Amino acid sequence: MESHTTNPLIGVRVRALRGEFAVNQDEVATLLGLKDRQSVSAIENGERRAKPEELGVLLDHFKLDPGYFTDPFRLVGEGEFSWRQSCAAPALNAYQKRAGGWLAAYRALSTKEDRPGPKERLSLRLSERSTFEAACAEGERLTIDYNMGGIPALKLPHVMENDFGILVLMVDMDQGISGAACRLPEMDAVLVNRKENPGRRNFDLAHEFFHILTWDATPPKPIEEVSYTSKSRVEQLANNFAAALLMPGRLLKQFGEWRALGDAERATRMREVADHFQVSVTALHWRLVALKLLTTATQMVDVCSPSTAYLQDTPPLFSKAYARVLSEAIDKGRISASKAAKILDLSREAVRDLFAAHNVPTPVTM
């Protein structure tokens, strides 16, 4: 048996190719002139080095581009995504390919030392059979354990990145896409549509945080329903967790009695409290119902007319951690400025603006 392949991506991508084109190991073995399917299995498992001429045969037969098996700046057969979206499948597939390039670039250009967080993934003691109360309790517990203060939304991205090692990226998403959680063998990531209302953005971030923390026990579906009142139990658990994390009951109770308020007074207070916690009025309404501070019969407050400055805030693209890794990689010649711009689907000027927005040094070659 030959030594392990020098490129661990190849075996994974040979397996992915079979899935994409619906061919089995026997068919690939015949195509490559190998004696049996075990030889293909050995390539896929990294127990046998794929020869260049063998890869060439696969590239030619399936009409693949030359980088299919070796390009580190793409995801092929790696990573699982769970999207909050309502757009058509072709648009989502195209966007996922772009997003995969962003994550693959970060993985390829960063080291374990660059990535904050614990050495092992942290998880919640929750499953699909858990109660909504248990999900809420876990959300509230995290705000205490990680000192998230009186407005947890403000510290959530920092906690996710630095305490849990989850890459958080603020990105521009196509119409109908709100966010996504992604699991790679080496890292986890959450993508959020930065141009959505910040209240919705914060909720999406907390919602995807739940999926990352429960991925092993309760893997999310590739596509999630975008709704506070989803019928899926897993999504209901995620919504309860997110609401409790962003609006802990112990903090909400400081705002006094709700049931006795008249409609106009309650509407005013709900907008003020929603703005305080940087969530939507809709999310606050359902959180109050869950805490039995309001009844399900209570009329929903009109959610129009956002009032405070934070609602007009749009965060810079990607994240400071991402920009720093990219800047250092360009500066050290590990990736060219033009290649980086192509992966990000930005002009070179826009990449320079990205570094400036995160107060990261701009490489001299930019």
Side-chain angles (χ1 to χ4, degrees):
M1 188 75 65
E2 296 186 40
S3 62
H4 283 63
T5 176
T6 56
N7 188 337
L9 298 177
I10 291 176
V12 173
R13 294 183 178 185
V14 170
R15 184 182 296 112
L17 177 148
R18 289 199 302 102
E20 182 177 353
F21 292 95
V23 295
N24 60 37
Q25 290 179 335
D26 288 320
E27 291 171 302
V28 173
T30 299
L31 186 63
L32 298 181
L34 301 175
K35 60 181 181 179
D36 52 40
R37 61 178 292 276
Q38 281 73 26
S39 298
V40 177
S41 178
I43 292 173
E44 294 181 1
N45 294 327
E47 298 168 354
R48 176 190 183 280
R49 183 171 61 84
K51 299 175 182 178
E53 55 269 29
E54 293 170 340
L55 297 180
V57 169
L58 295 176
L59 292 175
D60 290 342
H61 181 82
F62 292 102
K63 297 179 172 55
L64 303 169
D65 68 88
Y68 182 89
F69 292 110
T70 56
D71 183 2
F73 301 121
R74 69 173 80 178
L75 297 183
V76 179
E78 311 154 87
E80 299 175 83
F81 283 87
S82 177
W83 293 93
R84 287 171 64 78
Q85 63 88 30
S86 58
C87 66
L92 180 62
N93 291 338
Y95 189 83
Q96 180 170 306
K97 185 176 180 180
R98 289 172 55 201
W102 304 333
L103 300 180
Y106 181 81
R107 178 188 64 181
L109 298 173
S110 64
T111 65
K112 289 185 178 180
E113 289 70 29
D114 293 323
R115 304 172 198 162
K119 293 182 180 180
E120 297 183 358
R121 285 184 167 112
L122 301 177
S123 61
L124 296 178
R125 299 180 297 276
L126 294 172
S127 71
E128 190 170 358
R129 296 184 298 275
S130 298
T131 64
F132 298 145
E133 290 78 11
C136 288
E138 287 293 277
E140 296 217 22
R141 178 183 64 81
L142 292 184
T143 67
I144 297 171
D145 290 354
Y146 293 93
N147 300 313
M148 297 178 70
I151 307 176
L154 295 177
K155 292 190 176 181
L156 180 57
H158 177 86
V159 168
M160 290 174 65
E161 285 203 327
N162 290 276
D163 294 298
F164 289 84
I166 301 168
L167 179 66
V168 175
L169 298 183
M170 296 292 167
V171 297
D172 293 331
M173 291 186 166
D174 294 345
Q175 182 70 29
I177 307 176
S178 295
C182 178
R183 167 147 291 192
L184 297 178
E186 308 88 346
M187 54 181 269
D188 295 313
V190 168
L191 285 69
V192 172
N193 188 345
R194 70 184 185 125
K195 292 189 175 178
E196 282 201 330
N197 179 293
R200 173 68 171 274
R201 192 171 66 218
N202 290 333
F203 197 91
D204 285 345
L205 186 59
H207 183 103
E208 301 304 343
F209 189 24
F210 172 88
H211 285 315
I212 293 293
L213 294 178
T214 59
W215 200 291
D216 293 329
T218 310
K221 294 180 179 179
I223 297 176
E224 306 173 30
E225 180 182 353
V226 183
S227 172
Y228 292 112
T229 57
S230 170
K231 295 181 180 179
S232 162
R233 182 164 183 82
V234 174
E235 294 310 297
Q236 289 176 343
L237 287 166
N239 285 341
N240 276 271
F241 168 86
L245 187 151
L246 295 170
M247 298 167 280
R250 69 183 188 282
L251 299 180
L252 273 178
K253 290 174 182 178
Q254 297 175 7
F255 290 90
E257 175 61 40
W258 291 85
R259 292 181 186 238
L261 299 177
D263 289 346
E265 188 178 3
R266 188 177 69 255
T268 298
R269 183 183 294 182
M270 288 188 74
R271 289 195 183 93
E272 291 174 349
V273 174
D275 287 351
H276 172 80
F277 286 107
Q278 302 197 8
V279 298
S280 71
V281 174
T282 301
L284 173 61
H285 171 92
W286 289 113
R287 177 62 175 146
L288 292 172
V289 170
L291 290 170
K292 296 182 172 51
L293 297 175
L294 287 180
T295 67
T296 54
T298 305
Q299 184 177 358
M300 184 82 73
V301 172
D302 179 9
V303 298
C304 298
S305 68
S307 56
T308 57
Y310 91 90
L311 290 171
Q312 282 71 50
D313 171 58
T314 300
L317 272 169
F318 300 106
S319 70
K320 187 178 184 70
Y322 192 94
R324 183 176 60 249
V325 164
L326 192 64
S327 172
E328 292 176 356
I330 295 173
D331 197 46
K332 295 176 180 178
R334 299 180 60 204
I335 187 173
S336 68
S338 58
K339 177 73 171 179
K342 183 177 180 180
I343 290 172
L344 300 185
D345 197 22
L346 297 173
S347 67
R348 289 172 72 115
E349 181 180 1
V351 176
R352 288 194 293 270
D353 292 341
L354 169 68
F355 294 141
H358 290 289
N359 197 26
V360 168
T362 300
V364 294
T365 55
M366 290 298 299

